[in-house]
Amino acid sequence: PLREEEEGAKVMFVIGGPGSGKGTQCANIVKQYGFCHLSSGDLLRAEVASGSERGKRLNAIMEKGELVSLDEVLGLLRDAMISKLSETKCFLIDGYPRELEQGKRFENEVAPCSAVLYFEVSDATMTARLLERGKSSGRVDDNEETIKKRLETFHNQTKPVIDYYDSQNKVHKISAEGSIDEVFVEVKKYMDSKQW
Ligand code: B4P
């Protein structure tokens, strides 16, 4: 029955390394284009904030810069999508898929992906941004040691996702080294060039 409800949903995956600006640019896209933004990281952090046993388990994994289990993230995303379907059918799925299997399972069980937006940034820039955010974010993963591990996870597990969708001509790559506004100029060019 889920598939019937989700029929017609348009999905864009938003991928980038830790601190590449995914969440930041998604917030801009929502303001200008009215998509529904679902961030796997935000959904996981909300579960942690609830203080549940499940949240405690998730927090320990995020603290190590590793990926939480596929079923856990997919379940959270699917529930969030279903609760928003009456408002919109266009979804930005931010921070997901982070490994190939996540993408395949989502497309088989939830909805096909129409496009992938990939924010490309150097490790040095991502590290600097996250250390800056770490001064005030209170996030368990914005420290030097965890950032190193998150970058490793990105290169080993998430890069193959980009290659996979690239071979289907679905990836639009944006250089995200510039300021938030400069990056958004490039995002807008792409968004305006597509029929949503
Ligand atoms: P996420 O929440 O996705 O965290 P993130 O990679 O740091 O991205 P975020 O969106 O927060 O930051 P942004 O780049 O916008 O993941 C956290 C953890 O959750 C993962 O390590 C993993 O354990 C788990 N997880 C999440 N999704 C998962 C999944 N699908 N499967 C398994 N596990 C999963 O911004 C970073 C900072 O840079 C901000 O302070 C921002 O203000 C700044 N910034 C952004 N753009 C900038 C620019 N152009 N110039 C200067 N600063 C900029």
Side-chain angles (χ1 to χ4, degrees):
L2 289 181
R3 285 208 69 104
E4 263 167 48
E5 276 183 273
E6 286 149 10
E7 193 111 352
K10 279 230 182 311
V11 168
M12 180 156 83
F13 289 145
V14 183
I15 303 183
S20 58
K22 307 182 291 290
T24 307
Q25 295 299 329
C26 280
N28 281 342
I29 295 174
V30 168
K31 260 191 238 149
Q32 185 128 358
Y33 299 92
F35 275 61
C36 173
H37 173 211
L38 296 177
S39 153
S40 52
D42 288 350
L43 291 169
L44 291 167
R45 282 184 288 278
E47 186 63 38
V48 172
S50 77
S52 67
E53 279 306 313
R54 185 189 185 200
K56 285 182 193 142
R57 277 202 319 275
L58 297 174
N59 197 47
I61 297 168
M62 291 162 81
E63 203 164 11
K64 286 193 269 178
E66 293 171 4
L67 298 180
V68 312
S69 88
L70 193 167
D71 287 308
E72 206 108 47
V73 194
L74 187 59
L76 283 171
L77 270 178
R78 185 207 302 251
D79 292 349
M81 254 180 97
I82 290 171
S83 74
K84 299 280 182 191
L85 269 173
S86 57
E87 294 163 35
T88 179
K89 292 222 161 196
C90 291
F91 292 90
L92 293 173
I93 307 289
D94 164 14
Y96 186 105
R98 265 179 156 84
E99 55 182 347
L100 205 45
E101 200 53 26
Q102 287 190 359
K104 291 182 178 171
R105 287 272 307 272
F106 186 99
E107 293 203 89
N108 278 333
E109 297 171 30
V110 184
C113 139
S114 329
V116 177
L117 199 52
Y118 167 42
F119 292 110
E120 192 176 43
V121 199
S122 68
D123 285 10
T125 302
M126 292 192 269
T127 304
R129 285 179 189 169
L130 293 175
L131 286 175
E132 184 58 36
R133 183 172 69 183
K135 290 179 190 163
S136 58
S137 69
R139 269 176 59 161
V140 292
D141 55 353
D142 282 345
N143 59 75
E144 202 147 2
E145 196 186 329
T146 310
I147 293 167
K148 238 186 226 160
K149 188 69 213 317
R150 288 161 72 192
L151 285 168
E152 236 171 71
T153 304
F154 171 68
H155 289 295
N156 296 334
Q157 293 178 258
T158 311
K159 280 277 178 73
V161 177
I162 299 158
D163 297 339
Y164 173 75
Y165 285 106
D166 208 18
S167 73
Q168 299 179 8
N169 290 321
K170 285 186 178 170
V171 177
H172 184 77
K173 197 193 290 186
I174 287 184
S175 165
E177 288 287 338
S179 70
I180 293 171
D181 289 347
E182 283 165 354
V183 176
F184 192 53
V185 169
E186 297 308 312
V187 171
K188 274 193 289 196
K189 279 187 202 157
Y190 172 65
M191 296 299 291
D192 291 340
S193 74
K194 277 198 75 99
Q195 284 286 339
W196 293 105

